[in-house]
Structure formats: structure tokens, C-alpha cells
């Protein structure tokens, strides 16, 4: 005789089935893992703005196996995975007043995730492109924002600031639970290998090295020797880095990109910059996610470029933004460089 497990007044199998039925009925997209392979369905009238994956899984409660369970949720736009969803006034008249939170009792196995991930990321890229194309300031008519560039001229012995208009990166945001570790690892790996982010961090590292290596002050016996942190070149670099306000995971990459000289394993300025930015050398949680990524992440991501906008904190999820891969405008110079 089969034993019925209960969590309160409702049997365990009914709670699992309720969560599956909620996402089937209300989620924007459902990916179902079947013996024939993953099958995806688009809900024409969703009330729950999430992407959901359902399939066979062994859950946390009592380690029981279920033929069909909610394995993963991803929030689309402002929605958050597994959270309760409030419906609008119109929806309240036509349907339920709200959709209860779903239980994070199940996880994708590595094999299941490898099957699902390419479909998932392709769908997110498609959503992003469709949304951006429909905006007034889209890829053909981007919104430009004023920004500043810094570069150092050895010949003129001067730090220059160049003001330009740059097209604001256009993209759409999504949210993923901290419980969905395979997906979390792919996202952090994708940001670490974002070509635009790597280009900017490498450029900043090269600028730091160039500025710190150059001194226009002649050494004399009468001039008192200053501490390195008191030198004009270091003060200039410190001011620029303070304005950048880099997150810790980007500081790690910036330090790795600092040029090496004379066979050294680290830059001559590694410790000065790490101390300036408050990095103590410990492995970050974000770096652990990158290290634990499953094999062939580039294949799963299919050239998706993303950046994390809300990282690890007290929340139970992170938020990331996928960039449109539609072509955007070029930057427009504002004025001549301003020396400082």
C-alpha cells in the first residue's frame, strides 16, 4: 500500500502537481522534458511572466521521485522566479487575484540542463531583440548618453579627458534564483567573457599601467621623496577608479589584465591597485560559480552577451541583462580633449 506524505493538510504529491499546473496554465513559456527530448510551448495569454522548465525529478522533501515536477523558473522583466505574483485589476475580474509562490524543491540534473540551456538562451535573445526593435529608441535610433574617456599622452606628458556621446546599451533584464546553480554558473561565465566588458577592462588596465609608469617630475637631491600613493600619477588613477565604482568581480579581472613586465607573474602595481580598490585576494563567490561551470558553456550560450546588473546580495536571486545583437549606432565626438 502506497504511503501518502503530507505537508500540512495537503499531500506532498498534490503540492508538486499544483506548482506544475500553475506554470503550465500561467507561465509565459514552458519547456517540458520528455523522453523524445525538450519541447517548448508559448502561452498566448500569460499571467505569470516567467520561463518554466518541467520534467522528471527527485525533490528535496523525502528525496522522492516525481514523473513531472517544476525544475526551474526564470523571471522575465521585473518578475522574480518562484515568487508570488500579483495580477492587475483587469486580471482580477477575469481570473485569480494572485498566483502563489512555487516551491524550489527540485533541480535540473547536469544532463537535463545541457539539454535545456541552448533553448533557454535562444529564447531570451529572441525576447530581447523583439522588445528592443519595438522601442522608440531602438537599435536603429539609439539613445546616446554623454560619457568621458581618459587617456594619457607621453609626448605631451598630460592626462586628457575626452567627452563623447555613446549609444546606451540596449537590452532586456531577467532574474535567476541563487538555487539554480548550473544556470548561475553560465551567467557569471558569460559576463566574465563578455567581449565588450573585457575590451573596456583591458583598456583601463593598459591606461593604469601607462600612467603609473610615467613620471614627469625630475629627481633632485633637495626634493623630499613622496610615498607612492601621494604621487600625482597615483592620485589621478585613484580618482578615475573611484568614479568607475567597479564591482568586486570586475576588479579581479582588471588586476589580471594589468600588463606584466620582465617575466613577473603579477603586475608591479598589482598590490597597490588591489589595496586601493579593497580587494584582499580571496576567491569571490562569483569566481567559484565561474570555476564550477559545466563543459562547453560557449555552445550553450550561442553568442549571447550579457551583464549582471544586480549581483549577490541579501536577495534570493540575481538580475542580468542580455544585450540585443541587432547593430547599434557609432559613438559621436562632442568636443576636443580637455587636458587635466
Amino acid at each position: 500500500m502506497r504511503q501518502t506524505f503530507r505537508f500540512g493538510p495537503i499531500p506532498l504529491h498534490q503540492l508538486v502537481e499544483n506548482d506544475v499546473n500553475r506554470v503550465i496554465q500561467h507561465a509565459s513559456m514552458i519547456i517540458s522534458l520528455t523522453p523524445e527530448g525538450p519541447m517548448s510551448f508559448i502561452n498566448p495569454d500569460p499571467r505569470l511572466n516567467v520561463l518554466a522548465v518541467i520534467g522528471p525529478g527527485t525533490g528535496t522533501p523525502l528525496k522522492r521521485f516525481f514523473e513531472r515536477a517544476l525544475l526551474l523558473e526564470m523571471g522575465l522583466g521585473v518578475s522574480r522566479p518562484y515568487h508570488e505574483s500579483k495580477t492587475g485589476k483587469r486580471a482580477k475580474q477575469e481570473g485569480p487575484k494572485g498566483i502563489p509562490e512555487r516551491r524550489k524543491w527540485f533541480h535540473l540534473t547536469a544532463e537535463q540542463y545541457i539539454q535545456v540551456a541552448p533553448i533557454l538562451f535562444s529564447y531570451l535573445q529572441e525576447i530581447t531583440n523583439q522588445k528592443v526593435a519595438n522601442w522608440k529608441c531602438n537599435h536603429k535610433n539609439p539613445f546616446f548618453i554623454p560619457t568621458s574617456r581618459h587617456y594619457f599622452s607621453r609626448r605631451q606628458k598630460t592626462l586628457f579627458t575626452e567627452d563623447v556621446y555613446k549609444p546606451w546599451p540596449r537590452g532586456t533584464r531577467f532574474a535567476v534564483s541563487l538555487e539554480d546553480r548550473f544556470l548561475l554558473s553560465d551567467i557569471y561565465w558569460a559576463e566574465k567573457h563578455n567581449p565588450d566588458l573585457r575590451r573596456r577592462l583591458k583598456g583601463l588596465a593598459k591606461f593604469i599601467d601607462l600612467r603609473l609608469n610615467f613620471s614627469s617630475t625630475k629627481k633632485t637631491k633637495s626634493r623630499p621623496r613622496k610615498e607612492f600613493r601621494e604621487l600625482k600619477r597615483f592620485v589621478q588613477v585613484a580618482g578615475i577608479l573611484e568614479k568607475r565604482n567597479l564591482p568586486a568581480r570586475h576588479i579581479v579581472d582588471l588586476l589580471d589584465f594589468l600588463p606584466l613586465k620582465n617575466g613577473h607573474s603579477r603586475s608591479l602595481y598589482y598590490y597597490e591597485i588591489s589595496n586601493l580598490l579593497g580587494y584582499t585576494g580571496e576567491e569571490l563567490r562569483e569566481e567559484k560559480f565561474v570555476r564550477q561551470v559545466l563543459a562547453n558553456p560557449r555552445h550553450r550560450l550561442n553568442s549571447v552577451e550579457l551583464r549582471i546588473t544586480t549581483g549577490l546580495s541579501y536577495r534570493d536571486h540575481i538580475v542580468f541583462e542580455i544585450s540585443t545583437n541587432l547593430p547599434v549606432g557609432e559613438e559621436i565626438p562632442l568636443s576636443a580633449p580637455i587636458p587635466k
Side-chain angles (χ1 to χ4, degrees), residues 151-160 210 214:
Y151 67 90
F152 182 73
S153 170
R154 283 178 175 269
R155 183 174 60 84
Q156 300 180 47
K157 302 177 182 179
T158 305
L159 175 66
F160 287 94
L210 177 65
F214 185 85

Side-chain angles (χ1 to χ4, degrees), residues 162-212:
E162 181 183 23
D163 293 329
V164 296
Y165 274 133
K166 290 185 67 176
W168 183 252
R170 310 303 294 174
T172 304
R173 296 187 178 186
F174 307 95
V176 58
S177 168
L178 300 185
E179 294 287 330
D180 291 311
R181 292 304 179 91
F182 294 137
L183 182 55
L184 208 63
S185 287
D186 270 359
I187 290 168
Y188 274 101
W189 185 94
E191 188 195 52
K192 190 177 184 68
H193 293 83
N194 182 310
D196 181 61
L197 176 61
R198 290 176 69 85
R199 177 185 59 79
R200 289 189 285 111
L201 289 175
K202 284 182 178 180
L204 180 58
K206 184 178 179 181
F207 162 78
I208 291 171
D209 182 75
L210 177 65
R211 182 65 192 100
L212 293 183

Side-chain angles (χ1 to χ4, degrees), residues 61-256:
L62 308 177
K63 300 296 181 182
R64 282 188 53 188
F65 174 78
F66 291 83
E67 289 289 347
R68 195 173 68 161
L70 176 60
L71 304 177
L72 180 143
E73 261 193 29
M74 175 181 288
L76 310 179
V78 298
S79 297
R80 299 297 174 252
Y82 310 105
H83 283 216
E84 179 184 5
S85 175
K86 302 288 185 181
T87 55
K89 293 181 180 179
R90 180 180 174 185
K92 287 181 180 180
Q93 297 173 358
E94 300 174 356
K97 294 182 179 181
I99 301 171
E101 64 180 6
R102 280 73 60 207
R103 300 159 186 85
K104 186 54 185 171
W105 282 350
F106 301 87
H107 297 80
L108 289 165
T109 65
E111 293 76 14
Q112 288 173 328
Y113 179 73
I114 289 171
Q115 277 189 307
V116 165
I119 302 172
L120 185 150
F121 283 110
S122 294
Y123 179 65
L124 299 185
Q125 185 70 73
E126 183 181 343
I127 290 177
T128 298
N129 288 348
Q130 288 178 352
K131 284 191 173 184
V132 171
N134 289 329
W135 291 340
K136 182 178 180 180
C137 292
N138 58 20
H139 63 293
K140 295 181 179 179
N141 180 36
F143 178 72
F144 287 84
I145 59 170
T147 187
S148 297
R149 279 182 175 177
H150 304 280
Y151 67 90
F152 182 73
S153 170
R154 283 178 175 269
R155 183 174 60 84
Q156 300 180 47
K157 302 177 182 179
T158 305
L159 175 66
F160 287 94
T161 297
E162 181 183 23
D163 293 329
V164 296
Y165 274 133
K166 290 185 67 176
W168 183 252
R170 310 303 294 174
T172 304
R173 296 187 178 186
F174 307 95
V176 58
S177 168
L178 300 185
E179 294 287 330
D180 291 311
R181 292 304 179 91
F182 294 137
L183 182 55
L184 208 63
S185 287
D186 270 359
I187 290 168
Y188 274 101
W189 185 94
E191 188 195 52
K192 190 177 184 68
H193 293 83
N194 182 310
D196 181 61
L197 176 61
R198 290 176 69 85
R199 177 185 59 79
R200 289 189 285 111
L201 289 175
K202 284 182 178 180
L204 180 58
K206 184 178 179 181
F207 162 78
I208 291 171
D209 182 75
L210 177 65
R211 182 65 192 100
L212 293 183
N213 270 313
F214 185 85
S215 174
S216 59
T217 305
K218 293 183 179 180
K219 296 180 181 179
T220 64
K221 293 182 178 180
S222 60
R223 187 185 300 274
R225 184 178 180 86
K226 289 185 177 180
E227 292 291 333
F228 185 73
R229 284 174 166 257
E230 297 175 350
L231 297 176
K232 179 180 178 181
R233 44 185 162 149
F234 185 86
V235 172
Q236 287 179 336
V237 168
I240 291 170
L241 290 175
E242 183 179 1
K243 291 180 180 178
R244 294 293 182 100
N245 193 26
L246 298 173
R249 62 187 184 278
H250 294 174
I251 292 173
V252 173
D253 292 334
L254 174 67
L255 292 169
D256 288 340

